[in-house]
Amino acid sequence: MDNEALQQWVEQVSLQSFGRPFLHKATFNSRLKATGGRYFMKSHHIEISPHQLMAFGREETEKIIKHELCHYHLHLMKRGYRHRDADFKNLLAHVGGSRYCGTLPERAARKAAPYRYKLVCVKCGMEYMRKRKLDPSKYACGKCRGKLKIIMLDNNPG
């Protein structure tokens, strides 16, 4: 699917679900990985993650489009368009949009990866588990402000 097809899709969903036209630009943004889409308040444009479409299909992506259109229409009507606003929550439930998008499989795999490093405070012995390597000289113990030393764990593949 290209940006033209997405534009038509968003315009169609806007008319069907909201009864209002979408008069701005909708595009795919392949850099969006942690979020399904975003709405820009200054330009009123919408970006959608193509990764969500590939991973979860048209049905879930349409829910993301409805979510972004809730921001769009409420903002233009000068009503509560933020996630915490009652107007937003009510409209989202009414049109059947999603509150959250699914986690992409490659991000889920990274999240489930085992801890590879342990930081140990040399003063009080407090331990901090980490998946990524970091420079312990830039940090201090959160409990006693002591120095930290890094230990690589055995399950480290490299």
Side-chain angles (χ1 to χ4, degrees), residues 87-104:
D87 286 336
F88 179 82
K89 290 178 183 177
N90 292 335
L91 184 59
L92 190 65
H94 179 72
V95 298
S98 63
R99 186 84 165 96
Y100 304 102
C101 66
T103 303
L104 296 172

Side-chain angles (χ1 to χ4, degrees), residues 111-129:
K111 216 173 197 180
Y115 293 114
R116 297 173 62 190
Y117 304 97
K118 184 185 338 183
L119 295 166
V120 180
C121 175
V122 295
K123 194 172 176 184
C124 70
M126 183 73 180
E127 295 181 353
Y128 303 92
M129 303 300 287

Side-chain angles (χ1 to χ4, degrees), residues 65-80:
I65 290 171
K66 288 178 181 179
H67 178 106
E68 300 309 325
L69 284 171
C70 283
H71 290 299
Y72 172 80
H73 290 299
L74 289 169
H75 183 246
L76 291 178
M77 291 188 293
K78 296 181 177 17
R79 291 175 57 198

Side-chain angles (χ1 to χ4, degrees), residues 10-23 69 72-74 76-77 79 91:
V10 172
E11 289 172 3
Q12 174 191 347
V13 170
S14 182
L15 284 172
Q16 286 178 348
S17 297
F18 297 86
R20 298 173 156 271
F22 176 72
L23 303 173
L69 284 171
Y72 172 80
H73 290 299
L74 289 169
L76 291 178
M77 291 188 293
R79 291 175 57 198
L91 184 59

Side-chain angles (χ1 to χ4, degrees), residues 29-44:
N29 183 346
S30 60
R31 293 185 313 266
L32 297 179
K33 301 231 169 81
T35 184
R38 60 184 174 180
Y39 164 67
F40 295 94
M41 290 189 297
K42 287 186 178 178
S43 66
H44 307 296

